[in-house]
Amino acid sequence: MGFSILGLSPTEQMDLRAIEPELINALKKAAARIIICQANSKLWFGDCSQQWIDQLRMRLIRMACILNIQTILCQSIRIDEQSNAYAHAIIPRYGWRDYTINQHGDAFLKYTQDQWFCIRLDRRWNTAPLFKNNFSPISKFQTIAHEITHIFMNTRDIAYGVIDCCELAIANPNDAKLNADNWMYFIDEYSLLRYVEFRSSRQV
């Protein structure tokens, strides 16, 4: 399934098509490597206990499964200019909930059916680079990762930006585990190598 695109330019559609597999790969890579990369969990969530690592791995795998199976509508819409938002996640049909915990086996997937997941992209999204670089505070990939955590995990917007998110992880790990930007930065850690590979393959 993955992204269903509405009202976006051909270039924007190409960008989303590049982001979709990259996001799934980053989630899977994070789940596979978290045991040896626990410092990333400590940095963004303030916790590297075995209990949390086990839960984190499960939630990453489940997010990848949902993204791979369910349809997420991505549409272009003008968001309130006062908000400075790049995108906005729409409340699912049956309300906000965390689909990555509290269900055994594959039972979590049944709760994602018929939910009408939707991300609305503002024109500001077009001004961001596709992936992280040194010249922009946010990328298109990071924006989608941020919004995906809202609709799949019911994350909040408690803190924004690298510094505030790192400080939140130190001061209040429980809030860091609920904050969309903390998840986004954590996931993005595992997209960097893939981005290099993606760019190299495009240049061949």
Side-chain angles (χ1 to χ4, degrees), residues 8-26:
L8 298 178
S9 70
T11 299
E12 293 170 309
Q13 293 181 40
M14 287 181 60
D15 287 345
L16 278 171
R17 294 305 179 206
I19 289 170
E20 182 180 342
E22 182 62 19
L23 182 52
I24 293 173
N25 287 336

Side-chain angles (χ1 to χ4, degrees), residues 98-146:
D98 187 344
Y99 300 97
T100 67
I101 58 174
N102 297 333
Q103 288 89 34
H104 296 289
D106 293 334
F108 71 97
L109 287 174
K110 73 177 183 180
Y111 295 103
T112 67
Q113 297 175 359
D114 302 319
Q115 283 289 356
W116 193 74
F117 297 125
C118 178
I119 298 173
R120 291 178 174 169
L121 302 172
D122 187 74
R123 60 186 179 183
R124 294 181 186 86
W125 191 72
N126 293 324
T127 67
L130 183 55
F131 292 94
K132 180 180 177 182
N133 62 33
N134 294 326
F135 305 104
S136 177
I138 194 71
S139 71
K140 292 178 179 177
F141 176 89
Q142 289 175 318
T143 300
I144 296 297
H146 176 109

Side-chain angles (χ1 to χ4, degrees), residues 1-6 8 16-17 20 71-75:
M1 295 291 185
F3 297 142
S4 173
I5 301 172
L6 179 65
L8 298 178
L16 278 171
R17 294 305 179 206
E20 182 180 342
T71 298
I72 298 92
L73 175 64
C74 296
Q75 60 182 166

Side-chain angles (χ1 to χ4, degrees), residues 8-56:
L8 298 178
S9 70
T11 299
E12 293 170 309
Q13 293 181 40
M14 287 181 60
D15 287 345
L16 278 171
R17 294 305 179 206
I19 289 170
E20 182 180 342
E22 182 62 19
L23 182 52
I24 293 173
N25 287 336
L27 291 166
K28 290 180 177 179
K29 184 187 293 183
R33 297 183 60 186
I34 189 59
I35 293 297
I36 60 174
C37 298
Q38 294 185 14
N40 289 343
S41 178
K42 185 68 174 179
L43 175 65
W44 298 114
F45 302 117
D47 189 351
C48 59
S49 66
Q50 190 59 52
Q51 181 179 5
W52 167 245
I53 293 298
D54 289 343
Q55 182 185 134
L56 178 57

Side-chain angles (χ1 to χ4, degrees), residues 14-15 18 130 197-204:
M14 287 181 60
D15 287 345
L130 183 55
E197 294 170 352
F198 174 79
R199 292 291 292 178
S200 297
S201 67
R202 288 285 293 270
Q203 292 169 358
V204 172

